[in-house]
């Protein structure tokens, strides 16, 4: 017997009549009057389970097979035969069933073969990958994450693991998590009575990173094309459906690039990921389209099929002013775009993804490159129908005197950014990059509404993890 | 002009006579008496720089080209021609040179074209990827990390991002970093005067993970083959050449697997990574063999070419006892193997990688499966010449009553492991997995001696990052 995954067994690549072993967990069992049982078995390798047709003649039929319930672990040996059932390619004529584990108290097993609420499933995070929905989310997540690596590797990028523990706040991006090994009940004090962080693990205050961008810039200015891809942390707003305290972020950074090259890079990047999902996860995407969001597939196809539009922020403001829409937030040159504005632009005015470029300098971060008009910086946001802002990026200020001026304006002390300034002193080149929060993209692809459903262990009080 | 990377320009895949643009940083400049300059340019895409032959007839030859020093940023347009120089395939007949940035004060630029001490380079972490050595380490790191994803994806594994922030200590593995958003200068207290962690971000104490294993087991028991690959944290011994406070760990976990299947998985895994390095980074590995460690390539080739040996811990103890070696640590059944023992076994006795299996139960973690002898558990360590222990793994205890007994014996309260126990109540199956610290493997592959040289930003007081 050859051990095969359910995916292999259903693929049609094995000859009918092959003797195989399939291993997995029971989804459903149905007993026929003809003295047979139909046991659907899933192993997570693909969306569909395989049907094992189990004859009553098996020695353990009465005392084991007829007691199988959803979730039981089984090893089934049999012969692969074309299926008569609709929607099934192959099924298993079963020769033996080994039960590795029954389900204790099947009535209370949380993952019954029925629809569960998302709230309930967040409370049983350790079991929810056994559902159709979270099996599919897990596979799509894998495909998107590995497609990111594959695409960037093909383009000549190198993955740089910038530090998770850091002493600097990359963007002033809000509350950070402090990290310490000090005994909180007995904090060391200096002679002025202040907490003595020299006694802490790193000899000073340390935090979890909010972005690897500044660090990865140094690598772009040696290796030309690089990216970070790892967990990132924000200690804010954790209890909304749109925010996570811990999320994965990918940050490509390219040397010898202006804002237009950055937008090209972002467009190719998004299209490559979506193409991988459509090519490699057709079964899971069909499920999302049938059960979660009808346009789940078509909107990705549309996304891929057309070039992104590009407009200037200044033009975007004019479009919004002339739109005749009653926006909640005022439309004035100089303020940041709100979600309502972004969605109007992408969904109603343009109808496909749009890159808005060259934002007012006073609303953007210190490291963004000042344009010749001295009023705007070379920043961009990629907006898309159905999601709004999906990517934020910029050309970086590569001129030391401009950078210093901008730092001072933002209340930052250039002296504390010595190594970052060095990069502008030693062979500076134009460079640019962008950042993308991975889970937001996954939520969009799967048609989910709560970002907690895009991570393996949702962080909610009372869940399995916390 | 087509923009090409140095790698593409040197690859031989472009026709001689092609007009190209190369962009990068100057490594060296040499002026000939014949009125030419030879400028070596590197862009990080491969080990070798490309030589640009710059004629004195260029308009900016005297005032710019002749002032180029190591580190300057340049954009060079020219014609690709076969090189007369030895070791060079192609060079660039230069038509124009644009200098994007000179080096301020070239005499003090840290990355001179000469050998630097590793200690010095750790202090200029933001510039060290511009050296031959750290350029090579960065490329090999990328190749190994992406080979891990590629190999596991080909084998049907799914990447699971287990939580970085956690409330449980997976292995009792030692000191953890505490995470908090409380104001340390003004800690909230409960009515007994204790610190009130209910007021902290997650409503309880939180730490950085030391392992994703327990979390990923739940996914193995739904998806069959999964792995974690992400940063992991240990607040111990950070100041040795062998330990990092922050390192990347890969942890594959497979369902329906015993210890032997686990060892098969580990062997195929290591061989796939080393094969990728030899196939894809021949230039960088040649550098390591020539400049760092002569056997850097040959030992990987040997590693791949033979099957791993497998022996029982009990037999290993007998071998060590009969070895006639004067070990510092005693050899007695029941104690863990020390590095000296591991290296004797792998290097002297067996001469190739060896999997030591079935360790005494009292020295191994609670989740490892008790063997029928009730004295040993199904644990394994993979030992290799030149490095010692490289992988640790085990079959997991899938029987709830055995698990509970082992937890109690280790002083753990089964009630606090509710979700982990659930996995044994609901369709339990034999399963196994292993863990590998990525940077230790990278140090081995490159022939380095200090693990701080295997990460982009070494964490040492006074370095660029801290």
């Amino acid at each position: 017997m050859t051990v095969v995954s359910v995916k292999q067994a259903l693929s049609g690549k094995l000859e009918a009549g092959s003797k195989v072993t399939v291993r997995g967990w029971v989804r459903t069992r149905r007993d026929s009057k003809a003295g047979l049982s139909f046991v659907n078995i899933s192993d997570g390798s693909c969306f569909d389970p395989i049907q094992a047709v189990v004859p009553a003649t098996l020695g353990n039929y009465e005392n084991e097979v007829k007691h199988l319930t959803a979730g039981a672990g089984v090893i089934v040996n049999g012969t692969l035969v074309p299926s008569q059932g609709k929607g099934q390619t192959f099924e298993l004529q079963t020769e033996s069933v080994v039960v590795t584990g029954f389900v204790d108290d099947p009535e209370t097993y949380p993952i019954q073969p029925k629809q569960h609420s998302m709230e309930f499933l967040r409370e049983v995070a350790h079991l929810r990958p056994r559902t159709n929905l979270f099996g599919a989310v897990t596979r799509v997540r894998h495909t998107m994450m590995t497609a990111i690596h594959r695409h960037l590797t093909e383009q000549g990028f190198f993955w740089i693991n910038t530090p998770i523990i850091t002493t600097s706040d990359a963007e002033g991006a809000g509350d950070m998590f402090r990290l310490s090994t000090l005994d909180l009940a007995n904090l060391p004090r200096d002679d002025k009575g202040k907490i003595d962080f020299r006694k802490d693990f790193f000899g000073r205050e340390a935090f979890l990173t909010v972005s690897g961008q500044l660090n990865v810039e140094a690598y772009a200015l040696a290796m030309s094309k690089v990216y970070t891809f790892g967990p990132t942390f924000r200690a804010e707003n954790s209890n909304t459906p749109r925010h996570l305290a811990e999320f994965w972020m990918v940050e490509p950074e390219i040397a010898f690039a202006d804002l237009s090259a950055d937008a090209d890079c972002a467009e190719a990047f998004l299209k490559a990921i979506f193409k991988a999902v459509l090519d490699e996860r057709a079964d899971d995407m069909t499920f999302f389209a049938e059960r979660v969001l009808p346009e789940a597939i078509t909107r990705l196809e549309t996304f891929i099929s057309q070039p992104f539009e590009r407009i200037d922020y200044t033009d975007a403001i004019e479009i919004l002013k002339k739109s005749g829409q009653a926006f909640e937030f005022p439309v004035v040159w100089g303020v940041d775009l709100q979600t309502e504005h972004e969605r109007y632009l992408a969904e109603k005015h343009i109808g496909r993804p749009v890159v808005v470029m060259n934002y007012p300098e006073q609303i953007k971060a210190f490291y963004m490159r000042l344009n010749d008009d001295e009023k705007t910086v070379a920043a961009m946001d990629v907006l898309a129908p159905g999601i709004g802002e999906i990517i934020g990026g910029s050309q970086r200020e590569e001129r030391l005197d401009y950078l210093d001026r901008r730092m001072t304006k933002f209340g930052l002390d250039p002296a504390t950014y010595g190594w970052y300034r060095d990069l502008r002193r030693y062979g500076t080149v134009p460079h640019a990059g962008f950042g993308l929060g991975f889970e937001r993209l996954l939520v969009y692809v799967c048609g989910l509404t709560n970002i907690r459903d895009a991570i393996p262990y949702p962080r909610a009080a009372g869940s399995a993890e916390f």
Side-chain angles (χ1 to χ4, degrees), chain A residues 64-84:
Chain A
E64 291 200 328
V65 174
K66 286 194 76 171
H67 298 278
L68 288 175
T69 59
V74 290
I75 301 173
V76 178
N77 294 298
T79 306
L80 210 55
V81 297
S83 175
Q84 270 103 54

Side-chain angles (χ1 to χ4, degrees), chain A residues 41 45 86 101 146 233 246 260 279 320 334 347 350 380:
Chain A
I41 299 161
S45 62
K86 61 174 179 180
T146 51
F233 303 86
E246 172 183 329
S260 171
D279 288 350
L320 292 169
E347 286 165 21
I350 294 168
M380 67 168 189

Side-chain angles (χ1 to χ4, degrees), chain A residues 190-463:
Chain A
D190 63 18
D191 51 18
K192 287 176 185 145
K194 287 194 165 177
I195 297 162
D196 189 356
F197 287 105
R198 290 172 305 181
K199 302 245 165 66
D200 209 346
F201 191 83
F202 293 104
R204 69 186 73 180
E205 291 185 89
F207 303 91
L208 290 183
T209 183
V210 294
S211 162
Q213 179 201 313
L214 302 192
N215 286 132
V216 91
E217 278 187 49
Y219 271 77
L221 298 176
M223 315 297 294
S224 300
K225 293 179 174 184
V226 296
Y227 64 108
T228 69
F229 190 18
T232 313
F233 303 86
R234 305 261 162 107
E236 57 180 8
N237 292 322
S238 83
N239 220 3
T240 84
R242 284 169 53 89
H243 292 87
L244 290 169
E246 172 183 329
F247 59 98
W248 280 63
M249 183 149 72
V250 52
E251 297 176 284
E253 186 80 22
I254 45 181
F256 299 99
D258 59 13
L259 191 63
S260 171
D262 202 30
D264 291 343
C265 185
E267 180 170 348
F269 177 88
L270 288 170
K271 288 179 171 177
I273 299 170
F274 291 168
K275 187 168 184 310
V277 171
L278 293 173
D279 288 350
E280 297 166 31
R281 294 292 163 209
D283 56 348
D284 295 317
M285 289 308 297
T286 300
F287 168 79
F288 290 124
E290 286 175 355
R291 295 298 189 86
V292 180
L293 186 78
E295 63 268 33
I297 292 176
T298 51
R299 70 180 182 180
L300 295 191
E301 290 170 340
T302 307
F303 200 107
I304 290 173
S305 65
Q306 301 173 66
F308 291 6
E309 184 65 59
R310 295 182 191 189
I311 58 171
D312 248 49
Y313 166 89
T314 301
D315 296 331
I317 291 292
E318 288 309 305
I319 291 165
L320 292 169
K321 279 184 177 168
K322 290 176 190 157
S323 68
Q325 299 282 309
F327 293 117
E328 185 187 346
F329 292 90
V331 176
V332 188
W333 196 100
V335 301
D336 212 354
L337 300 181
Q338 301 293 324
T339 303
E340 58 176 348
H341 307 140
E342 294 173 342
R343 296 190 71 147
Y344 174 80
L345 288 169
E347 286 165 21
K348 298 208 176 140
H349 185 75
I350 294 168
R352 62 178 201 274
V354 53
V355 189
V356 180
M357 303 166 98
N358 302 311
Y359 283 76
E361 60 91 13
Q362 69 271 20
I363 61 170
K364 289 293 183 180
F366 76 90
Y367 51 74
M368 296 187 181
R369 190 179 194 276
L370 195 65
N371 287 323
D372 290 346
D373 62 16
E374 305 232 333
K375 290 179 186 161
T376 61
V377 288
M380 67 168 189
D381 281 348
V382 180
L383 317 178
I387 178 169
E389 186 198 325
I390 199 169
I391 274 180
S394 69
Q395 185 173 346
R396 317 312 186 184
E397 183 55 82
E398 88 282 12
R399 299 161 298 185
L400 186 59
D401 49 345
Y402 281 80
L403 181 71
D404 283 348
R405 229 180 299 154
R406 248 178 107 66
M407 281 184 171
T408 307
K409 185 169 175 175
F410 277 73
L412 301 169
D413 178 8
T416 63
Y417 285 80
W419 68 268
Y420 189 70
R421 293 178 71 253
D422 270 2
L423 303 175
R424 279 74 183 165
R425 294 176 57 216
Y426 298 143
T428 192
V429 304
H431 60 291
F434 63 85
L436 176 150
F438 177 78
E439 281 80 6
R440 281 202 67 210
L441 200 65
L442 180 58
V443 160
Y444 174 72
V445 167
C446 299
L448 302 173
T449 51
N450 190 319
I451 201 163
R452 285 162 201 279
D453 298 323
I455 56 172
Y457 285 90
R459 294 221 154 44
S463 82

Side-chain angles (χ1 to χ4, degrees), chain A residues 90-230:
Chain A
F90 285 87
E91 63 187 24
L92 211 53
Q93 271 180 353
T94 304
E95 287 156 31
S96 73
V97 175
V98 175
V99 182
T100 61
F102 285 97
V103 167
D104 283 8
D105 192 10
E107 268 88 79
T108 63
Y109 177 56
I111 309 297
Q112 300 291 334
K114 60 160 195 171
Q115 189 102 8
H116 299 89
S117 79
M118 300 295 264
E119 291 72 20
F120 171 75
L121 289 172
R122 272 174 227 135
E123 304 300 311
V124 288
H126 59 304
L127 299 172
R128 73 178 185 171
R130 301 181 180 196
T131 63
N132 280 335
L133 180 72
F134 287 98
V137 170
T138 302
R139 285 184 295 271
V140 169
R141 184 176 173 111
H142 174 82
T143 294
M144 288 172 62
M145 292 191 93
T146 51
I148 287 171
H149 286 304
R150 198 171 62 225
H151 169 72
L152 292 174
T153 299
E154 284 167 2
Q155 302 294 314
F157 282 75
F158 299 104
W159 185 14
I160 309 298
N161 303 108
T162 50
I164 306 294
I165 302 173
T166 180
T167 56
S168 65
D169 175 348
E171 304 189 39
D175 296 325
M176 297 173 83
F177 287 104
R178 174 192 297 282
L179 206 77
S180 180
T181 53
L182 295 177
D183 176 4
L184 297 197
N186 193 10
L187 287 167
R189 304 277 172 176
D190 63 18
D191 51 18
K192 287 176 185 145
K194 287 194 165 177
I195 297 162
D196 189 356
F197 287 105
R198 290 172 305 181
K199 302 245 165 66
D200 209 346
F201 191 83
F202 293 104
R204 69 186 73 180
E205 291 185 89
F207 303 91
L208 290 183
T209 183
V210 294
S211 162
Q213 179 201 313
L214 302 192
N215 286 132
V216 91
E217 278 187 49
Y219 271 77
L221 298 176
M223 315 297 294
S224 300
K225 293 179 174 184
V226 296
Y227 64 108
T228 69
F229 190 18

